Amino acid sequence: MKHIICTTLLVETSPQAMPLGAACIASAIKADLRTREKFSVQLTDFSLEDSALSLLTEDEDKALHIATSLAGKKDTAPAAICFSVYVWNHTLLERAAKEIKRLVPGIVCIAGGPEVTANPTAFSEFDYTVAGQGESAVPALLSELFLEHSEDSFKPIPGVYTSFKKEAAGSLASACSTKVSRAIPCLPEALASPYLDGTLDPGRYGGALWELARGCPFKCSYCYESKGEQKIAYFPLERLEKELDLFAQKNIAQVFVLDPTYNANKRRAIDMLGLIRKKAPGMFFYFEARAEYIDRELAQAFSRIPCALQIGLQSADPEVLKNVHRTLDKKLFTRNIGFLNETGVTFGFDLIYGLPGDTYAGFCRSIDFAISLYPNNLELFCLSVLPGTTLHDDAAGFGMQWEAFPPYHVLSTPQFGAKDLARAARLSQAANLFYNDGRAVPWFNAICHVLHQRPSVFFENYATFLESQKNRTLLTEHAEIEKSQCAFIEKALREHKLEKLVPAALDLVRMNGAISRCTADGSESRVPLHYHPDDIMTDYALDLVFFTQNCGKQQCTARVFMGKQGVDWRLTR
């Protein structure tokens, strides 16, 4: 019996980074009639956080470590290895494949995944590449390679390409062309679940990546889905219920739902939320959603389970979004996000800098618009011009320059030059540290209001402040970030001659920080305050001028702890 390994390299070891793609291929090989019980199949993943890999500084050494681990002993070496390739592991995995072929002559290296689908003929070290969903194509390829015919008699398999180094007549390779021929996808009901067949254990990762559907109804030109079919294929409810039961049985903490647009079908979205509430009421779920399709009913359904939504705003300029095949009705967007705030649903926004037609000033306006809606987090990304996307085809027409190798970041556009992109990166890093890592959402707009500053200006000033600090590289723990926030806020208020607001502002930051740490990990804090904590934790404190003028000071220390009903506080003697 031939041995097959399905593998990938992960950025980190976490529920967000699981080898789901490789696991799906492993399950397909186990279940397909052409390969079932004819191969032994093993799922093996590597992480850049693994102790062995993290100690290696050179990519060549990391690739050799991966190759050596996969090659195994001479008498147990695999016949083929299937690699799941993404932007972040493209280079390392191709190097690993080259090393494996040196260590195990005759081994077959097969690659699939988003990077391969984008340009399946761009890889020289893999023997075969598979564009599109590989659950049918990979078993067909393995059957042809090891069970059926000699390579000279291969019949072409849709979506399967041969390395350009292999030019044998009659090979499986599709001809190289601008339009990539993709593998024929299986119907969702025909796909084996890597969770239910035991291939992938969510307990090992503390959480799960969960596919409820495949496909996206939108054509955002920067996304790999831009050249996919503009439709959604839903997995059967019976399978999803069984997977949800398994997650509950494993008692995992969190689930990341992979649907690009979870709420594309409102009725199904609400029904699934009801099922989650019934079967896994204590589990935390992450969804990607479109604000255009959120209404009060859906917001209320989200509010009934522990969850967070990530919403792709990308830009607040409708004209910029037109260039990447997106639309934005700001009034509708604002109204629908209001439903989330009204019902207490946690949500965040994604913004991209470097989009065609955008400017640095436009990016700043997008940040200001986003922050005005009180997101729990703001994820700011440099545009990647990914091969295989519509934007990649259109980029030259926009006058864009970008990196030729992963991560394919934009280097300049006529409106967004290299210096402005560097400024945007600096601004993004400051915003991430202060707003996201600093957990500033409860009080951030209150601080900006009294300073009469737009959020983007505030973040620019914080970036300048950080550059003047000797210990800025040590800001990883929230308590340390909070000290940096307090120092900057006090400095800014004094520069604006608002010294009287400093005690209330610092109390607001420190009390909310202590509560957030207690919520996150149960840690207890003692917080020295200028005002009573019961007063600081009212909405009145968000109007710092009114609060300072009308609330009496009370020097005290609050003990913040986890009580029977959640986070609580008491004055200490």
Side-chain angles (χ1 to χ4, degrees), residues 21 83 126 235 250 257 293 304 316 344-345 446 458 462 480 546:
F83 295 85
F126 300 117
F235 284 95
K250 293 284 184 177
V257 176
Y293 296 158
R304 295 186 187 107
V345 177
F458 185 97
Y462 182 60
E480 294 302 315
F546 175 86

Side-chain angles (χ1 to χ4, degrees), residues 189-253:
E189 55 268 26
L191 292 172
S193 166
Y195 292 116
L196 299 180
D197 70 7
T199 298
L200 192 57
D201 178 9
R204 178 187 168 196
Y205 301 89
L209 295 176
W210 197 24
E211 282 190 298
L212 308 183
R214 288 186 180 178
C216 181
F218 300 102
K219 289 288 185 180
C220 308
S221 66
Y222 49 78
C223 177
Y224 282 125
E225 294 283 353
S226 62
K227 289 190 175 183
E229 295 185 30
Q230 200 171 351
K231 62 182 182 180
I232 302 175
Y234 291 101
F235 284 95
L237 186 60
E238 181 183 5
R239 164 176 165 158
L240 300 180
E241 286 193 61
K242 290 179 179 178
E243 289 178 331
L244 197 54
D245 287 335
L246 177 66
F247 298 160
Q249 178 188 336
K250 293 284 184 177
N251 197 30
I252 59 175

Side-chain angles (χ1 to χ4, degrees), residues 273-491:
L273 291 172
L275 187 65
I276 290 169
R277 187 184 182 195
K278 175 184 176 183
K279 290 183 173 288
M283 208 173 292
F284 200 96
F285 285 77
Y286 295 86
F287 301 95
E288 294 184 25
R290 291 284 290 230
E292 300 95 302
Y293 296 158
I294 293 172
D295 59 13
R296 184 171 278 109
E297 182 186 12
L298 184 56
Q300 289 172 344
F302 278 122
S303 74
R304 295 186 187 107
I305 68 167
C307 72
L309 277 58
Q310 198 65 23
I311 295 168
L313 173 58
Q314 318 309 4
S315 171
D317 187 335
E319 293 304 311
V320 169
L321 290 176
K322 284 182 182 178
N323 292 330
V324 289
H325 304 171
R326 286 181 68 96
T327 60
L328 175 66
D329 181 331
K330 291 179 78 170
K331 288 185 178 180
L332 177 66
F333 190 96
T334 301
R335 187 198 71 177
N336 293 358
I337 294 301
F339 294 138
L340 299 179
N341 280 320
E342 179 184 291
T343 52
V345 177
T346 299
F347 65 91
F349 294 138
D350 294 336
L351 288 176
I352 300 175
Y353 59 88
L355 289 169
D358 204 2
T359 62
Y360 179 76
F363 176 58
C364 289
R365 287 192 295 271
S366 294
I367 289 176
D368 297 338
F369 172 72
I371 292 291
S372 73
L373 300 177
Y374 295 87
N376 187 66
N377 64 80
L378 191 62
E379 302 298 332
L380 306 170
F381 303 97
C382 180
L383 176 66
S384 289
V385 184
L386 300 172
T389 63
T390 302
L391 179 61
H392 190 271
D393 297 341
D394 298 342
F398 286 119
M400 303 174 71
Q401 294 182 326
W402 63 95
E403 296 171 335
F405 300 99
Y408 309 111
H409 283 158
V410 65
L411 298 173
S412 70
T413 77
Q415 300 83 15
F416 218 131
K419 289 184 178 180
D420 282 342
L421 286 169
R423 290 176 67 196
R426 174 179 179 266
L427 176 62
S428 299
Q429 290 165 4
N432 180 63
L433 182 64
F434 194 98
Y435 192 83
N436 297 340
D437 295 345
R439 307 171 190 174
V441 61
W443 47 263
F444 181 79
N445 281 323
I447 300 294
C448 285
H449 177 73
V450 296
L451 291 172
H452 300 288
Q453 282 185 350
R454 291 179 284 111
S456 57
V457 174
F458 185 97
F459 292 138
E460 284 181 324
N461 292 340
Y462 182 60
T464 301
F465 171 80
L466 285 175
E467 289 164 356
S468 70
Q469 304 299 298
K470 294 180 180 180
N471 64 340
R472 64 182 183 273
T473 56
L474 302 178
L475 299 178
T476 54
E477 298 297 327
H478 178 258
E480 294 302 315
I481 296 171
E482 184 183 284
K483 291 178 183 177
S484 171
Q485 290 171 322
C486 288
F488 175 68
I489 290 169
E490 181 170 0
K491 178 177 180 291

